[in-house]
Amino acid sequence: MPEHAPTLQLIGVAVLAVAAVVWAVVLMRLLRRAGRRTVVRRSTVPLPALPSQTRVGPSRESVELTPAEQDAFAGLVRHLANG
């Protein structure tokens, strides 16, 4: 036991270590259990508790680019792709 560390500090470290181990074990069990459920329950039926989504916003808009704008955009993409 280090002489410069108070007893309460050593107890705190031990408690935190035990809590971390317990947390890791619980997390692993939950992930394993969730993994089994997702393998068994792969269906394309939507969840009954969620309402269906409706589109209420404005319609999508698109604008034709001029050849100069298309070239500028292609140059920008090449510049960003090169880093």
Side-chain angles (χ1 to χ4, degrees):
M1 180 161 104
E3 296 173 3
H4 63 279
T7 305
L8 288 177
Q9 187 176 11
L10 294 174
I11 292 172
V13 168
V15 168
L16 285 176
V18 169
V21 169
V22 169
W23 176 81
V25 168
V26 169
L27 182 65
M28 291 302 293
R29 285 187 179 183
L30 288 174
L31 289 175
R32 211 176 307 142
R33 185 180 303 160
R36 278 186 275 170
R37 285 186 188 163
T38 56
V39 170
V40 173
R41 222 177 127 195
R42 295 257 185 208
S43 65
T44 57
V45 178
L47 295 175
L50 298 176
S52 62
Q53 300 293 312
T54 57
R55 184 159 172 75
V56 287
S59 60
R60 293 185 180 171
E61 298 179 4
S62 64
V63 176
E64 291 294 323
L65 297 178
T66 64
E69 290 172 331
Q70 289 177 352
D71 291 339
F73 183 73
L76 177 64
V77 170
R78 278 193 302 273
H79 176 72
L80 292 175
N82 291 334

